[in-house]
Structures are given as structure tokens and as C-alpha cells.
Amino acid sequence: MSESYDYLFKFLIIGSAGAGKSCILHNFIENKFKEDSSHTIGVEFGSRVVSVGGKSIKLQVWDTAGQERFRSVTRSYYRGAAGALLVYDVTSRESFNSLSNWLTDTRNLASPNIIIILVGNKKDLEETREVTFLEASNFAQENDLIFLETSAKTGESVEESFLKCAKTILAKIETGEIDIQNTSSGIQFSDSVIRNNFENRQKASSSGCTGNCRP
Amino acid sequence: MLKFMKNENKKKSSNDEQSCEVTIEDAEKIVNEDDSAFTRTNIKLHRNLLDILNDKTILSFFIQYLESKNGLPLVKFWLDVETFKAVGETSSSFSNSDRTESRASHYKNSTECCKNDDCVSISTTTTSTSNIEEIDEFVDEVDNNMTITMTQSLTDDEKFKICEKNRKNDECEAKSNQLDEDTKKFQPMIIEDALRIFRKYLVTDSTYSIELPAMILGKLSLALCGNNDSESDMDLNNLWCAFEDAQKFIFDIMEREYLQEFLESSFYCKYTIDVLTSESLCLAEILCSETALFYFMEFLEQEDNSKLSYLEFWLNARNFRKQEELSSDQLRTDALVIYEKWFSLQATNSLKFSNKTRTKVEEQICADSIEQLLKCFDEPIKIVEIFLDRNCFKKFIKSQLFFKHLSEVMGKIDNGIERNLQNGIIRRNSSFAIKFPSNKHRRTNSESLEKKGVTRSISAQNTLLAGLDHKRNKTSTDLQIDSRQLIDPNLLWRRQNANTKLSFGKVDHIGRYLRDFEMPNTIPTSNIPQSKSSFQLQNDSIDVDDPQSIFEQAKLSSAQNRLKNAVRKLVHLPEDSMQQEIAWQVAELIVKDVTSITLQNENHSS
């Protein structure tokens, strides 16, 4: 095994065509902007190990095709995802308008515990912006999403969006909201994690200072 | 036998190591030399309702599931109508001496075999076995004609058409005459069948009654009544249409209300395990199941990052292949994207296909016909499939990740076990499940499983705490046992009821630490894991059929063990036997206190 990690999360990147999903993935993995990005045929993927809250987490990211004609294909990949980046283009009203469709799709097809982060991409193109930050954050609030604006070109907030999503999932695991034993949770953990978790909790509870014990 | 299998296994694995790396050229050769090396197998892990209904093996699981949900009539109705339709088409078109027989078998079997029967019975009468589509067309046409030419024989023109289609000019005339008579002869039987279905499912007080919207029901009754009133005027097409509507309606209900839940149910998990542990498990099965794909991808990444490109190409090319209704321009753009990524000489992640393969792909991309364009990656797909199959598949199904996947699916089944089962039975069942149902598993699976640590991991989860947890349930008034707690100790920490949590105190708002109960001494937590193993051992040796004896002995053994440790660590007394006796008693009190609070909480409010 080349790399070790405590958890393995399956992530999705979804959103309308041309929103910059593949570029976000590319930036996240390679840390640089992909100039000549062609449209995605069905699905692409990449992975990276990040560190969140002292835990190393491997993110297996599935970048789906945004074009409508691939919808039936990409739908099948939703299952078992732990987190999703729902991407729209801040310079395209249309991509913002279709968000609710994407959201219903995700809620229907993915596991109910999936953490969705709303990402407004192409933040750097301020002069052609069509969707304001306020509008999008209202939408995010209504739908209970975490919201960020990113730029895959400059790399601004790209990593942050993945980290936020991973952090939220991790928190949910620790409070027991997400059952990691469940196959469809899209979360894999190494054996040491179960052991550690168990022992930590034992230690923590016996000294009476774990999250579980607080009123 | 076992030895033999072991040897074989060894051989296999050594073979694997020798032939470890099949290069892409080798895979190309294999494809070129022998097309049959690559057989497209039917994917068994369906997730779509129509496929489920058409596959006998999974259908039986689906039926079991529906039975548990009181939805049995739905699927029965669907299957009956399917057979009715199939039989109707067959018998109305052609006379068939074993018609009744085949019909009987239709009703027994699933739709899949109906379809086969259809083909057989049709082809026996027409002798043109090659073109089923043509026959279907013919059948359709006859059906249409039937309504018009019911009382008179077919016109010459129509006869001619039919004859031409079947290329059986001589026999055909006789046949079509006969056909007309047959249709008459079988009409009452068809109607009888229809009525039977109607009585079975659509009469409100029948055991299998299902609800249909008034419109569909009305149409159906109308079609049936019409048939009853004047047999000469009957419109079988109407009848079929009505039944088809009803069938579709039921299908939608099943899809909407039951499919998703079925796919999450333990029935589907059991089926998945059957498939995943069957001898015939193939790479395609893994590639087409998203959950398994998740693990396979991770496996490839750990093993050999370069192989990941092949998988990615495979997925992309397969997705490309599915885009049949696109214009050739769009297709070509897609093909070029794939080509540039994996084939072109400048490609960053070139899959290193031979020049020959590459040129062939190039030619096909540039071809005018859409069919050729669509097929341009067919050969590379085969090559990659063989490449991945030879290089990674066998390793994958022996890998830790694959067993993790299996044990997770199994964990799901265990979760589904009824909660009020008794301790011993659950324990037994779950350990059996781990070792796989009967002899179905591949090779010497139970051995390898043990090696891979599936059994170990489960029994490791089955800790003392989980064991004590039964005791709690057992001693409390209701005998409800949450079987999940047997396999997942973490659940103990997530109990809703604050009192049943395994916590010993809490920090209040001003930061003081408040004990939940008075405890003379704390037991070091390290003791608990220590005593785990002995508990486990002890437990295994006891007759599992008698839960009471387990409790007694487990209690004893664990208590003794813990007491010993507790006494050694906590009570430093001289080696006086008298004092030692007291120490034992004190320690026992402590243990009792702890267990009464952690385990008997509902009754014991402290």
C-alpha cells in the first residue's frame, strides 16, 4: 500500500455543462489550471489524501459529465457517495437556475446522508458575473447547503470546498449521524480507525470528557 | 478434497505470479486470436426493475421481499399478465399442439422463460428460426388483421404479404386458413385466461386483490365484457391493451414504491453475496456495480496507479457506446476526446495500444457510417477488459478491499435480522453468514476469508461489551435484542437514552465533573479489552443453543477474569488468604455495581 489513510470518502462533482467541474477536480489534484479542458464523457476520477482534524482522509472524486445527454449514465454513479460538490458557473444564470434539478436528482439517488456543498465557480470572471453571492447564499440557506465561491483558474477556495465537505462528513461520523458500517454511505475506513475510535471513546468516556458525555 | 483444492489454489496463485503481467500487446493478441476469449456475460447485479423481473434468480429474491411487504399480488399480477400476453400472442397466431402444455409452463415460470418458449413455439411452426423480429412483425400484423378479418378468411393480398414475409409460399396458404380457425378456437381460452386473471386480482375480496385506478379498471372490464357479449365481435387487441396498461401501472408502483427499498434490503444483499461469491463472478460484474467499482478503483490505485487509466478509459468508452441516438458529429467529437486522451501519440496517459489497433480506431473514427463510428472502441474495450481481467481481477477478489466489501454487505444482512432473535441464534447465524452460505463460495473461500481477516474482524467487533449487552437485554423485562449491537460496538456509545450510555459522568456547565454514580474505585479500562479474549474463547466452547448457559459461564469467566485483574491492580493487600477473600468480595461488589448501572439501566434509576 502506497499511502495510508484513516478514511476513504467517495465524492461527486455535479452541475451543468461548462461550469468547470473537471477544472475544479484538476486543480484539486494537480494544483494547476487545465487550459484545454474538453467535455467529460460520462465520468472521470481522481483522488487525493487530505488531512482534516488530525485524520488523513482519502477522497476518491468522481467528476461527472454535465451534458444532459449523459444524465442517465451519470445518475448511476450517484449511489454510495459520501459528499458532493454541486457546481454552477457564476457567469451563467442558466447553470444557477438548473441547480434545483441537480439537487432533487442528488437527494433522490444518493444516500440520504450525503453532504452537498454548493460551489459557485469562475469567481475570477467578476466582470461577467450573472449570479450574485447573496442570491446564491440565499439559495444555499434555503436548501441547507454549505456555500462557497471558487475559481478553478486561480485555485481560490478549491481545496477549501473539498476540505469543508470532508470536515462535515467527519463530524457526522463522530457524532454517529452517519453509520460507517452502512455500505451505501460511501465511506471506507481502515481497520485501525475502528480500533482507535473504540479505544479513544473508552478512554474518553472513562475520564468523562468526551463529546458524548457533555450535557 | 480440501487438500486438493488447496493445492490448486496454490498452483493458481503461483500461476498468477508468473503470468502476473499481461501486457496490453498480449491482450491484443488474445483478442485477435480468439474472439471467444471475450464473451459478454450477462450482468447479474441488476438495479433496474425490468431486468430484475426478467432474471429468474433475482426475481425470487424480489418476490420474497415483496412477500414480506405484502406486495406479492403486484408482482404476481405483473407476471401473470406477461404470460397472458405472451401466450395470447402465440396461440392466436399459430396452432400449436403443445399449446396448453406450454401455457401451463408459462404460468409457472417467469417471464424470461416465457420469451424463450415463445421463440421456440413460433419457430417450430415457421421454420425460419433466424429472424425473430420478422416473426414478431408478422404476429403483429396478424393481430391487426384479426380484428378486421375476423369472420372471413384473409384476402389474397394479405395472404401474399404474410407468405412473402415467411418465405414459405406453399405452406402459408394452408396456414393462414388454419390460423383463422385457430384464432376462433382459442379465443374462448384466451378470454378464460383473462377472466381468471381478472377474478384473481381485480375482484375486491380476493386474496390477491390489487388496486387499479378506475380508468384502467374500467377499460379492462369493458374489454372483457365486450368479449363476453358477442364473441364474434371481440377485440382481443383492446383486451391486450387494457391489460398492458394495467401491467404498466403496476410496474410503476413497484418501481416507485418497492424497488429502492428492495435494493437496500437484506434480500438484495443476500443476492449480491450470492453473485459476488459465485464461481462465475467476472470482471464485468464488478465494473457494472458502482459500489464494487468504488473498491476496485481504490484497489487499482493502491496496486498500480497506471492501471487506473485503463479503467477510466473503459468507463468512458462504455459511456460513449451508450450514446446511440447522437448525431455523427457529436459522436465524432466524443470519440476524439477519448482518442486524444488515451490513444494519440501525444496523449498524456496513453494506454500504449499497438499501432495496428490505433490505426484501426483512427479509421473507424473517420468512417462515414455511424455504426462504424459507434463501434470504434469496441476492440480496445475488449482488450482492456482482458488486460484488467488477467492482471487485476484475480488479485482484486483475493484482496482485503474485496473482502471488506463483502463483509460490509454481510453486515447489512445481519442488521436486517429480526431483533427479537435470541442471543445464541444471532451469534450462530452471523458467524455462519461470515463463512458463507453452504458450498456456494468460490474455491476454499472460508479459509481465505479467515486469512483475510473477515472472520477476525467480526469477532473482534464482537467484544465483551457487546456480549454484556445481551445480558442487559436478557435481564430486562422485554427480550428485545438489537442485533446490530452484536456486530457494531460503536452503537453502544450512541445510545439515545443518556442513562444507557457507557459514560461514567459528565461535565456540568461550570466545568465540574459529576459522576453519574458513586463508585468506590475505578476499574482501569485496560482490563476490559483484556478480558475480551477469554470471554470470546469461553463463549465459543459453550453449547450455543443454550443462551442461559452462555450467560452463566460468560458471566463467571468474565467476572473472574476481571476480578483477578482488578484485585491485582487495585487492592494491594498482603498475601493473606483471609484478606484476599475480602478483596475478592469487594471487587465483586464493584463489578456488580458497574454492571448494574451500565447494563440494567431501565429498571435501575440511580
Side-chain angles (χ1 to χ4, degrees), chain B residues 326-556:
Chain B
L326 285 188
S327 73
S328 62
D329 280 348
Q330 271 179 305
L331 275 178
R332 194 160 289 128
T333 333
D334 282 3
L336 280 174
V337 170
I338 295 178
Y339 175 83
E340 268 160 26
K341 197 160 174 193
W342 289 289
F343 288 83
S344 116
L345 291 171
Q346 291 85 38
T348 37
N349 17 5
S350 162
L351 300 185
K352 302 190 182 73
F353 284 110
S354 69
N355 285 338
K356 202 178 130 212
T357 314
R358 205 187 57 245
T359 350
K360 208 167 161 191
V361 171
E362 279 167 15
E363 273 166 20
Q364 275 172 323
I365 292 178
C366 300
D368 286 328
S369 79
I370 289 200
E371 287 92 75
Q372 272 212 304
L373 184 55
L374 257 179
K375 280 186 198 148
C376 67
F377 297 117
D378 280 11
E379 203 178 296
I381 287 178
K382 285 181 196 173
I383 294 170
V384 165
E385 227 163 274
I386 286 185
F387 176 76
L388 287 176
D389 183 62
R390 302 283 154 97
N391 289 335
C392 318
F393 178 62
K394 287 211 176 75
K395 268 193 244 164
F396 172 64
I397 56 174
K398 284 181 198 155
S399 74
Q400 191 86 46
L401 276 164
F402 182 70
F403 284 98
K404 244 183 203 167
H405 178 40
L406 274 184
S407 66
E408 266 189 12
V409 180
M410 282 175 209
K412 254 185 147 180
I413 297 179
D414 286 347
N415 287 352
I417 294 178
E418 288 93 317
R419 292 173 167 217
N420 53 1
L421 278 182
Q422 289 209 327
N423 162 44
I425 300 166
I426 291 173
R427 200 171 275 278
R428 230 191 188 177
N429 269 359
S430 49
S431 64
F432 266 69
I434 302 318
K435 280 174 186 156
F436 285 117
S438 65
N439 304 323
K440 275 184 177 171
H441 47 86
R442 79 176 63 248
R443 283 165 223 124
T444 49
N445 236 337
S446 56
E447 280 176 26
S448 47
L449 260 184
E450 257 158 11
K451 262 183 248 155
K452 295 293 175 189
V454 173
T455 27
R456 227 182 307 137
S457 74
I458 300 289
S459 61
Q461 285 177 353
N462 211 342
T463 60
L464 171 70
L465 285 168
L468 286 175
D469 192 59
H470 315 157
K471 221 176 351 177
R472 176 184 73 88
N473 286 312
K474 190 78 183 172
T475 43
S476 65
T477 41
D478 64 343
L479 286 168
Q480 291 263 309
I481 291 174
D482 187 353
S483 61
R484 281 175 309 165
Q485 298 197 346
L486 299 182
I487 50 157
D488 182 10
N490 284 335
L491 282 173
L492 281 176
W493 308 101
R494 294 186 212 137
R495 284 185 194 156
Q496 291 302 307
N497 185 347
N499 282 329
T500 40
K501 266 185 194 162
L502 289 183
S503 63
F504 298 91
K506 50 181 175 257
V507 179
D508 69 4
H509 62 286
I510 46 170
R512 276 183 312 187
Y513 174 60
L514 301 173
R515 279 180 203 280
D516 280 346
F517 50 89
E518 279 314 310
M519 206 164 80
N521 264 312
T522 36
I523 296 177
T525 42
S526 59
N527 286 341
I528 294 171
Q530 270 176 27
S531 50
K532 220 189 284 179
S533 56
S534 73
F535 175 78
Q536 202 65 45
L537 271 174
Q538 190 77 29
N539 202 12
D540 287 345
S541 61
I542 313 168
D543 178 12
V544 252
D545 280 325
D546 182 4
Q548 200 52 47
S549 81
I550 296 177
F551 290 133
E552 297 303 326
Q553 299 202 34
K555 213 174 179 177
L556 250 169

Side-chain angles (χ1 to χ4, degrees), chain B residues 182-204:
Chain B
D182 285 342
T183 329
K184 272 187 194 157
K185 210 165 74 197
F186 293 127
Q187 260 168 9
M189 293 172 116
I190 294 165
I191 294 163
E192 200 183 293
D193 284 350
L195 279 173
R196 216 169 43 152
I197 295 180
F198 191 86
R199 271 198 294 270
K200 191 170 171 191
Y201 298 102
L202 304 171
V203 179
T204 30

Side-chain angles (χ1 to χ4, degrees), chain B residues 97-131:
Chain B
S97 57
D98 54 11
R99 205 191 114 271
T100 19
E101 194 191 322
S102 78
R103 191 177 60 175
S105 73
H106 282 324
Y107 277 101
K108 277 184 206 134
N109 296 328
S110 76
T111 45
E112 188 191 27
C113 87
C114 300
K115 277 176 191 150
N116 294 340
D117 282 1
D118 275 355
C119 301
V120 173
S121 52
I122 292 171
S123 54
T124 47
T125 45
T126 59
T127 66
S128 82
T129 48
S130 59
N131 202 337

